[in-house]
């Protein structure tokens, strides 16, 4: 079955999104051609295809992947123009142990990144890459991170031998050959090389998910290059996302005076119609996508989605901090997503979606753990086998994903593609902490806010490897994504504060924790749509309507200032959620101090001052 014609009238939404008007190019820019040709000589692909981002191109690749078994069509009556891909069981997630920052100096990568000398890494990967695309097509994919022509956008080109990667990029970023025109005009661009590392001998039959046991995801920050070998999964292979928009972009941002952050981006509108824009950084498994698509439980409030994963922020000529979402789609974790945790995401996934490593129902729809209870019978699991509920194994892989264009999101802000971005009113940091960290705090000032970001930590859940409940430090939720030394990164955040102070327009910084538990291990705060009650308090702070308690950890709300009308929580319980336990706070400051001191001489003095201030306040 071809299944390339969208059977539902709604399906034209994607066709319109992806059919970006393209300008025919007779000759690509010389520096792009040279780069492509030099890789082609090494990789020896059968042919080279210059991609344009059109719907026709996507349809052809989808047909090709159906014929090779890489993807299977879902039931078009239930999930129009949607497909399931099943990866190799060894290629199911980002591999941090194989991710490298190859800066000239090891000190520049810092203690939280794997490092190898750039020349050694290049030599190693060039050897592995000899003939690595034999029997395959090399696709050349030009893309823009951010609205094309926005002053905040940055361009890139990814070469890849994976049609799955090309189609995923169509959904996730702005793929268009208009970018080649911009590059012809002299724009800088990031060189992204990717191969699955699985050459085909003459006549050899391909497998559904080609990849290699040897994997490298290597970043060369000085030359703005990414070389990725051996994986076709997620951030290992979809290079514009984590590799470019966070690791390489964080270095560009340091050099050029802006910020590339692991943050969602939303517009909040109050019942009075006043608009606020907020970014929020949370480590994985804290519900960033759920927050980005929140359905507020307080009447009159709305949340509009601008992004769920990455924000680029820059100070504009008027001294405002502005943000764009460099992406154009979602690559979200499927398990746990349901009509109760995130109804907007469920609606977003109505069609035009590529699902990877989910389970498939008897009637050809998708299913994953957390979607419904009990699990339907007759499931096909993520490995393509009959699911055995007795086995205890999940039917969907815990890191199963959906890939879908942002325009399908019902809560999307209509001006999401505005090249000017939005002015940020508040920056939120959060983590999963069963105690110690209150429901919400405001930073005393920018530097204290940077300290709050620097001390973000989150308890491990069953979905991650390691001991459940163990506290993992994850400053700014950027530990796996900063392309340079984390100490220098904190210093860069402090310097942005100086720029903002000079312009006189400081966004507020807050810390939240939705995850405090009672003595029986039950979550106390209702979370989800009720988080708007915390956002409402932030707005009251911005408007200057309410006061605070100045605690050792930060500025906490007066209990009466958080609206819990018609929420499943009483005032005493709320008071507990807002309280700071001196013994626990003291232990936490000590733990933060130990972690931060591991950055040694690179730890900025401005951060050390915050530790001193917290200790002094605890002693008072
Ligand atoms: O995403 C979450 N958010 C943010 C939503 C806007 N999650 C899911 C985290 C895993 C990705 C949450 N889980 C949140 C939350 O605010 N809070 C909790 C904890 C919790 C779980 C269940 C209930 C309440 C809190 N209630 C019931 O199950 C009925
Ligand atoms: Mn992320």
């Amino acid at each position: 079955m071809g299944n390339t014609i969208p059977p539902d009238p709604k399906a034209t939404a994607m066709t319109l999104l992806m059919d970006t008007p393209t300008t025919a190019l007779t000759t690509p820019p010389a520096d792009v051609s040279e780069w492509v040709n030099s890789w082609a000589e090494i990789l020896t692909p059968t042919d080279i295809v210059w991609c344009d981002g059109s719907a026709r191109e996507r349809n052809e690749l989808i047909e090709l992947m159906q014929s090779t078994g890489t993807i299977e069509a879902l039931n078009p009556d239930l999930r129009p123009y949607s497909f399931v891909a099943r990866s190799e069981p060894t290629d199911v997630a980002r591999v941090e142990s194989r991710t490298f920052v190859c800066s000239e100096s090891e000190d520049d990568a810092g203690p939280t990144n794997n490092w190898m000398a750039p020349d050694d890494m290049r030599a190693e990967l060039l050897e592995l890459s000899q003939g690595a695309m034999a029997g395959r097509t090399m696709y050349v994919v030009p893309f823009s991170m951010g609205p094309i022509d926005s002053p905040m956008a940055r361009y890139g080109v990814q070469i890849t031998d994976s049609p799955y990667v090309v189609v995923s990029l169509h959904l996730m970023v702005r793929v268009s050959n208009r970018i080649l025109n911009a590059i012809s005009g002299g724009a800088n661009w990031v060189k992204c090389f990717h191969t699955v590392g699985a050459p085909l001998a003459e006549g050899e039959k391909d497998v559904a998910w080609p990849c290699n046991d040897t994997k490298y995801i290597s970043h060369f920050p000085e030359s703005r290059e990414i070389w990725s070998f051996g994986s076709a999964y997620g951030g290992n292979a979809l290079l514009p996302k984590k590799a470019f928009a966070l690791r390489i972009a964080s270095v560009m941002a340091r050099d050029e005076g802006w910020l590339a952050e692991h943050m969602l981006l939303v517009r909040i509108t109050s019942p009075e119609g006043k608009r606020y824009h907020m970014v929020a950084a949370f480590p994985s498994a804290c519900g960033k996508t759920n927050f980005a698509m929140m359905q507020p439980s307080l009447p009159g409030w709305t949340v509009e989605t601008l992004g769920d994963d990455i924000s680029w922020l820059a100070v504009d000529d008027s001294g405002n901090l502005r943000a764009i979402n460099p992406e154009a789609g979602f690559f979200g974790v499927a398990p746990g997503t349901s009509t109760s945790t995130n109804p907007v995401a469920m609606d977003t996934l109505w069609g035009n979606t590529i699902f990877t490593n989910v389970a498939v129902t008897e009637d050809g729809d998708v299913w994953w753990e957390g979607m419904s209870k009990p699990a339907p019978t007759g499931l096909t699991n993520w490995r393509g086998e009959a699911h055995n509920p007795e086995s205890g194994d999940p039917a969907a892989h815990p890191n199963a994903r959906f890939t879908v264009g942002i325009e399908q999101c019902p809560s999307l802000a209509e001006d999401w593609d505005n090249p000017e971005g939005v002015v940020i009113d508040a920056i939120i940091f959060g983590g999963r902490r069963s105690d110690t960290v209150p429901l919400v705090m405001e930073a005393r000032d920018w530097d204290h806010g940077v300290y709050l970001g620097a001390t973000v930590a989150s308890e491990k859940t069953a979905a991650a490897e390691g001991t459940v409940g163990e506290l993992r430090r994850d400053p700014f939720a950027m530990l796996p994504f900063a392309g340079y030394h984390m100490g220098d990164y904190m210093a860069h955040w402090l310097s942005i504060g100086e720029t903002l102070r000079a312009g006189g327009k400081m966004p507020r910084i807050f810390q939240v924790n939705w995850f405090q538990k009672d003595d029986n291990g039950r979550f106390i705060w209702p979370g989800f749509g009720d988080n708007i009650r915390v956002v409402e308090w932030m707005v009251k702070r911005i408007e200057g309507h309410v006061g605070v308690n100045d605690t050792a950890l930060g500025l906490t709300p007066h209990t009466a200032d958080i609206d819990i009308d018609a929420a499943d929580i009483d005032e005493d319980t709320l008071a507990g959620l807002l309280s700071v336990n001196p013994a626990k706070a003291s232990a936490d400051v000590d733990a933060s101090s130990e972690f931060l001191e591991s950055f040694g001489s690179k730890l900025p003095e401005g951060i050390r001052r915050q530790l001193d201030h917290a200790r002094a306040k605890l002693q008072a």
Side-chain angles (χ1 to χ4, degrees):
M1 178 176 75
N3 192 27
T4 51
I5 310 288
D8 184 298
K10 281 202 286 179
T12 53
M14 180 199 240
T15 308
L16 290 174
L17 167 65
M18 293 308 160
D19 235 351
T20 359
T22 53
T23 316
L25 271 166
T26 37
T27 41
D31 51 345
V32 182
S33 295
E34 274 165 33
W35 174 71
V36 167
N37 292 338
S38 68
W39 273 115
E41 260 174 52
I42 296 155
L43 299 159
T44 67
T46 308
D47 49 0
I48 301 176
V49 170
W50 289 75
C51 296
D52 59 15
S54 66
R56 193 183 66 158
E57 173 178 288
R58 185 174 61 258
N59 288 342
E60 284 173 7
L61 290 170
I62 282 172
E63 239 173 88
L64 170 73
M65 285 195 285
Q66 286 181 280
S67 72
T68 58
T70 300
I71 61 172
E72 263 172 38
L74 292 159
N75 183 339
D77 295 327
L78 302 173
R79 207 57 73 168
Y81 202 55
S82 297
F83 304 87
V84 61
R86 296 186 185 97
S87 78
E88 268 300 304
T90 53
D91 194 25
V92 293
R94 286 188 300 106
V95 271
E96 289 178 17
S97 62
R98 304 301 304 160
T99 302
F100 296 83
V101 170
C102 304
S103 41
E104 297 290 344
S105 144
E106 180 169 9
D107 196 38
D108 210 18
T112 59
N113 282 309
N114 300 309
W115 179 84
M116 204 195 276
D119 288 348
D120 295 348
M121 180 61 82
R122 282 179 210 276
E124 170 102 12
L125 278 171
L126 281 172
E127 188 167 318
L128 278 170
S129 299
Q130 297 300 322
M133 287 192 187
R136 299 193 183 277
T137 298
M138 177 201 274
Y139 300 96
V140 184
V141 188
F143 61 89
S144 175
M145 300 310 281
I148 301 176
D149 302 330
S150 165
M152 293 175 79
R154 295 291 182 273
Y155 304 124
V157 182
Q158 176 164 349
I159 54 176
T160 179
D161 51 6
S162 165
Y164 168 85
V165 166
V166 179
V167 172
S168 300
L169 295 183
H170 269 227
L171 297 173
M172 290 165 62
V173 299
R174 297 160 176 89
V175 175
S176 164
N177 58 4
R178 281 174 56 199
I179 280 90
L180 294 176
N181 290 332
I183 292 173
S184 294
N188 292 324
W189 54 290
V190 173
K191 300 175 177 72
C192 307
F193 153 56
H194 170 249
T195 175
V196 295
L200 290 167
E202 200 145 315
E204 185 182 343
K205 196 180 167 328
D206 204 357
V207 294
W209 187 277
C211 61
N212 194 306
D213 286 344
T214 300
K215 294 176 174 44
Y216 281 98
I217 305 94
S218 302
H219 306 72
F220 301 93
E222 282 94 357
S223 59
R224 315 285 198 240
E225 278 176 279
I226 303 151
W227 294 20
S228 167
F229 182 96
S231 169
Y233 206 91
N236 299 336
L238 308 165
L239 302 185
K241 196 176 174 69
K242 304 300 193 185
F244 176 171
L246 289 176
R247 296 197 194 94
I248 295 294
S250 64
V251 175
M252 299 164 94
R254 176 197 62 187
D255 296 348
E256 300 168 10
W258 48 282
L259 297 166
E261 297 300 324
H262 193 198
M263 290 175 166
L264 64 86
L265 175 57
V266 288
R267 170 180 299 147
I268 311 282
T269 308
S270 72
E272 296 77 45
K274 285 194 88 169
R275 289 168 150 205
Y276 305 89
H277 295 96
M278 303 190 177
V279 285
F282 298 91
S284 59
C286 290
K288 217 155 81 246
T289 302
N290 298 344
F291 190 87
M293 301 178 183
M294 180 169 52
Q295 296 282 276
S297 69
L298 285 178
W301 290 81
T302 60
V303 174
E304 290 170 80
T305 309
L306 286 152
D308 81 326
D309 195 39
I310 300 176
S311 296
W312 284 357
L313 304 107
V315 184
D316 70 13
D317 293 339
S318 314
N320 297 304
L321 187 63
R322 276 185 184 273
I324 61 161
N325 171 11
E327 304 190 273
F330 306 116
F331 180 68
V333 176
T337 309
S338 72
T339 49
S340 56
T341 60
N342 193 338
V344 174
M346 294 305 279
D347 286 347
T348 303
L349 305 177
W350 62 265
N352 292 330
T353 305
I354 296 180
F355 298 92
T356 305
N357 287 349
V358 299
V360 174
T361 64
E362 260 171 346
D363 53 3
D365 203 355
V366 290
W367 190 85
W368 46 75
E369 276 66 25
M371 187 196 278
S372 58
K373 251 184 185 170
T377 55
L379 287 174
T380 301
N381 72 13
W382 65 277
R383 292 170 174 248
E385 303 152 350
H387 174 58
N388 174 9
E390 253 83 89
S391 69
D393 297 336
H397 188 277
N399 192 36
R401 297 280 171 155
F402 53 78
T403 310
V404 66
I406 199 169
E407 290 216 333
Q408 288 193 193
C409 178
S411 61
L412 183 68
E414 46 86 21
D415 57 341
W416 71 280
D417 203 23
N418 183 350
E420 291 173 5
V422 295
V423 175
I424 294 304
D425 301 287
I427 298 170
I428 303 169
F429 293 111
R432 182 185 279 264
R433 301 290 300 264
S434 52
D435 54 29
T436 312
V437 177
L439 176 62
V440 61
M441 293 192 297
E442 185 181 334
R444 283 184 302 272
D445 54 25
W446 180 270
D447 288 12
H448 181 233
V450 175
Y451 168 80
L452 293 179
T455 54
V456 165
S458 206
E459 285 158 19
K460 284 181 188 163
T461 64
E465 47 191 310
T467 321
V468 174
E470 194 194 328
L471 195 62
R472 182 188 146 118
R473 296 273 149 191
D474 190 358
F476 298 83
M478 282 289 280
L479 202 68
F481 305 122
Y484 61 102
H485 197 297
M486 198 36 93
D488 290 335
Y489 173 95
M490 292 171 192
H492 181 58
W493 262 82
L494 293 171
S495 80
I496 294 287
E498 280 173 37
T499 309
L500 286 165
R501 254 191 304 276
K505 295 180 187 169
M506 306 296 290
R508 304 289 180 107
I509 304 183
F510 298 93
Q511 176 166 56
V512 299
N513 175 22
W514 319 130
F515 299 98
Q516 287 184 79
K517 288 181 179 171
D518 64 18
D519 294 339
N520 301 313
R522 280 187 292 254
F523 290 111
I524 306 170
W525 177 251
F528 300 96
D530 283 319
N531 292 335
I532 194 69
R533 299 167 189 277
V534 171
V535 172
E536 181 197 42
W537 179 78
M538 294 175 183
V539 166
K540 286 195 261 192
R541 283 294 297 163
I542 292 168
E543 297 296 341
H545 295 328
V546 294
V548 287
N549 303 312
D550 188 359
T551 79
L553 297 184
L555 309 177
T556 60
H558 299 148
T559 308
D561 290 335
I562 294 192
D563 180 355
I564 47 169
D565 243 33
D568 193 12
I569 186 167
D570 61 50
E571 197 158 317
D572 287 348
T573 313
L574 177 64
L577 285 174
L578 297 173
S579 69
V580 172
N581 175 313
K584 285 181 174 156
S586 179
D588 205 50
V589 171
D590 288 346
S592 295
S593 169
E594 191 187 326
F595 171 71
L596 292 169
E597 290 298 346
S598 74
F599 298 114
S601 62
K602 291 268 199 189
L603 182 70
E605 208 37 55
I607 299 289
R608 218 170 254 128
R609 265 199 296 278
Q610 297 299 325
L611 284 166
D612 293 343
H613 185 275
R615 285 208 191 87
K617 219 147 160 77
L618 281 161
Q619 250 130 57

